[in-house]
Amino acid sequence: QVQLVESGGGLVQVGGSLRLSCAASGRTFSSYGMGWFRQAPGKEREFVAAIRRNGGSIYYGDSVKGRFTMSRDNVKNTVYLQMNSLKPEDTAVYYCAATQWGGPYSQIPTYGYWGQGTQVTVSS
């Protein structure tokens, strides 16, 4: 099993940046594919980004391509989401997720472990 704890959310102005972190417990972090999802009030949970176990492939949702960058550090058992050029529509609770499956990484059922979420609010 793995436990996930997100951090780094907060309030930022339009055009600003934030970096989210997701710290994972356990000794087998490198065996998990990792994903970021977000959910705005009244909307379905949306795929943001995902990274394979060894970091060799990274995938992004269309709405964040070119603005967000996902990375992982398998020594620190942590994944990151660098968010630049933030927009009001990026406002949501951001969730980190882990999977032992090979994909599809954009799909919620792929992931068996979820963090509690961190709020990101972009003000205009």
Side-chain angles (χ1 to χ4, degrees):
Q1 274 196 336
V2 62
Q3 293 183 327
L4 307 171
V5 178
E6 302 96 335
S7 62
L11 175 65
V12 64
Q13 291 187 334
V14 169
S17 299
L18 279 176
R19 188 176 83 153
L20 304 184
S21 300
C22 172
S25 64
R27 300 179 180 179
T28 59
F29 174 72
S30 61
S31 68
Y32 291 88
M34 300 296 296
W36 285 99
F37 290 77
R38 67 186 182 186
Q39 189 165 18
K43 294 188 177 181
E44 295 185 350
R45 194 166 294 192
E46 173 191 22
F47 170 70
V48 175
I51 188 168
R52 289 192 175 270
R53 298 163 186 163
N54 62 3
S57 295
I58 307 173
Y59 311 95
Y60 296 97
D62 289 341
S63 60
V64 306
K65 283 180 182 176
R67 301 188 298 123
F68 290 11
T69 302
M70 185 175 184
S71 61
R72 69 185 296 159
D73 185 333
N74 285 346
V75 174
K76 294 182 178 180
N77 284 10
T78 302
V79 293
Y80 305 95
L81 185 68
Q82 178 66 44
M83 306 186 295
N84 298 330
S85 302
L86 283 162
K87 305 174 181 179
E89 51 264 43
D90 294 319
T91 295
V93 177
Y94 283 71
Y95 297 92
C96 174
T99 178
Q100 292 180 292
W101 299 103
Y105 286 102
S106 64
Q107 301 300 307
I108 291 172
T110 297
Y111 298 86
Y113 305 96
W114 293 83
Q116 81 290 348
T118 185
Q119 176 71 46
V120 171
T121 302
V122 183
S123 65
S124 56

